[in-house]
Amino acid sequence: MASALPPLSPLLRNSLRTWLAATLTIGIMLWSGRSNVMMLGLLMAVLFINDNELTPLRSVGQLVGGALIGILTAIVLREFTNSWLVTAIGLLVTGCLVRGLGLVKGVGMGYMGCWSLEVVGAGKTFNWALIFNLAFTVVVGIAMAQLATWAFWPRRPLQQWPALEAGIVAQLSDQIQRMRAWLELGGEPPAPLRSQTLLPQILTLQQLRDQRQGTQTPKPVRQQSSRWAQSGSIWRQLLRQWLLLEPLLLQLPAPLEAGSLVQRSLSNLSFGLDSPPPGAAAEPSINAWLQEARRINAATPLILAIAQQLQQLEALLRSRALVQRAIERQSRTTP
């Protein structure tokens, strides 16, 4: 199955995971005669489907524990009265209990379990049989979500990350090319880069280190995950520096004359994204940038600010090149 998964689009993979988790949950609920609490199981199945990586079992245990505490807290308080005030108190008590027991990752699920009881258990008389049915439904929904995640997107971290970074490179490189074309030809300036399109992918790389902590992962995989997380941190700084540079470039009097220093620097930046430089290259001097300001009739502070941002970007690209070489060395030694 794993060899057939890469061609699937993320939308199709997610649809298949959701379908499998929901179908298994419905089947188990009907088979066990618990169709009256099926909606809670479906809610758990949808919430626990993971788009990136299997949730560690330790986290799953905390999430399940938090959900069960929320349900039990709501059941106990409903014995006194049933109103929005009791629900609010139940949420407060649930948060205190879950945190007090050290189930930090299950706080959100505790709140969800307490709140969902108002929907699932409306008008029902609670007894131990119903409590068991609700707990059983929570466990089944979470388990089916994990099974569906594993079935349609097994862990393939060493194959996913290069493709993820290639997508980041392509988007940023395309934006640089549009900016270069505008500076060369003039006309309508390009739309600013939307950080929302790149930041989720960069954060996925950054979080690799945290996802691997406390898991039984082979040492080479942990090392590469740490390197990719380091690469994600560099990419976040690259994105930040570009977002600072872009408004400055848009203030230049486009079109610029051919061979301008700004154009050459952007060309080097684009080349560095596709082929990371092996070492530090000769940077233009301050005098060269001052001459550039006079040549293109631009404000000197503006040109110097652009020069500083370009230098920061080139330094970050060199750092990225070092990390990439370390990843390549580890890849050759990983069986």
Side-chain angles (χ1 to χ4, degrees), residues 156-176:
R156 298 172 59 86
L158 303 185
Q159 288 75 31
Q160 292 178 32
W161 313 139
L164 182 62
E165 189 184 49
I168 299 173
V169 170
Q171 293 182 65
L172 185 55
S173 180
D174 185 60
Q175 183 68 11
I176 294 175

Side-chain angles (χ1 to χ4, degrees), residues 64-88:
V64 173
L68 295 179
I69 289 174
I71 291 173
L72 292 174
T73 301
I75 290 174
V76 172
L77 291 177
R78 281 172 62 95
E79 293 297 323
F80 298 96
T81 183
N82 184 12
S83 66
W84 64 267
L85 181 59
V86 172
T87 302

Side-chain angles (χ1 to χ4, degrees), residues 134-149:
L134 291 173
F136 177 82
T137 304
V138 168
V139 173
V140 168
I142 294 174
M144 294 308 101
Q146 296 301 302
L147 178 61
T149 298

Side-chain angles (χ1 to χ4, degrees), residues 1-286:
M1 179 183 292
S3 61
L5 290 179
L8 296 178
S9 68
L11 177 61
L12 180 57
R13 271 200 301 267
N14 188 61
S15 299
L16 289 172
R17 287 197 299 269
T18 304
W19 169 81
L20 180 61
T23 301
L24 292 175
T25 302
I26 291 172
I28 293 176
M29 291 295 101
L30 292 177
W31 172 78
S32 61
R34 294 181 173 88
S35 58
N36 58 326
V37 291
M38 183 187 299
M39 295 306 297
L40 179 60
L42 290 175
L43 178 63
M44 294 296 105
V46 173
L47 287 177
F48 276 83
I49 289 177
N50 196 316
D51 289 341
N52 298 320
E53 189 178 352
L54 293 177
T55 304
L57 291 179
R58 184 174 58 182
S59 298
V60 173
Q62 293 190 20
L63 294 169
V64 173
L68 295 179
I69 289 174
I71 291 173
L72 292 174
T73 301
I75 290 174
V76 172
L77 291 177
R78 281 172 62 95
E79 293 297 323
F80 298 96
T81 183
N82 184 12
S83 66
W84 64 267
L85 181 59
V86 172
T87 302
I89 296 174
L91 292 173
L92 177 61
V93 173
T94 297
C96 295
L97 288 175
V98 173
R99 288 190 175 91
L101 293 174
L103 306 176
V104 180
K105 294 184 179 180
V107 173
M109 288 308 304
Y111 291 146
M112 177 65 71
C114 184
W115 171 84
S116 64
L117 204 65
E118 292 298 322
V119 178
V120 177
K124 296 180 179 178
T125 301
F126 287 94
N127 49 47
W128 285 110
L130 181 57
I131 294 173
F132 176 80
N133 289 342
L134 291 173
F136 177 82
T137 304
V138 168
V139 173
V140 168
I142 294 174
M144 294 308 101
Q146 296 301 302
L147 178 61
T149 298
W150 174 82
F152 285 102
W153 199 344
R155 293 196 199 188
R156 298 172 59 86
L158 303 185
Q159 288 75 31
Q160 292 178 32
W161 313 139
L164 182 62
E165 189 184 49
I168 299 173
V169 170
Q171 293 182 65
L172 185 55
S173 180
D174 185 60
Q175 183 68 11
I176 294 175
Q177 293 300 331
R178 285 197 293 267
M179 184 64 69
R180 288 180 58 198
W182 174 72
L183 291 173
E184 179 180 355
L185 304 174
E188 186 70 19
L193 180 66
R194 293 174 57 85
S195 61
Q196 298 93 322
T197 61
L198 283 176
L199 193 56
Q201 303 171 59
I202 293 173
L203 290 178
T204 299
L205 287 176
Q206 273 193 285
Q207 293 167 359
L208 287 179
R209 185 182 292 108
D210 294 335
Q211 290 176 355
R212 292 294 176 185
Q213 288 181 354
T215 60
Q216 297 297 324
T217 308
K219 184 178 179 180
V221 177
R222 288 201 309 272
Q223 290 176 340
Q224 287 213 35
S225 298
S226 179
R227 289 295 186 183
W228 280 112
Q230 186 178 0
S231 180
S233 299
I234 294 174
W235 272 112
R236 190 165 186 176
Q237 296 178 61
L238 276 166
L239 176 61
R240 177 179 178 274
Q241 292 300 133
W242 175 258
L243 293 177
L244 291 173
L245 173 63
E246 215 171 31
L248 301 176
L249 293 174
L250 292 174
Q251 298 180 43
L252 292 175
L256 302 180
E257 62 183 45
S260 68
L261 189 54
V262 175
Q263 285 277 51
R264 294 202 304 270
S265 298
L266 286 177
S267 178
N268 293 336
L269 194 63
S270 180
F271 178 77
L273 282 172
D274 297 326
S275 303
E283 296 180 351
S285 63
I286 296 295

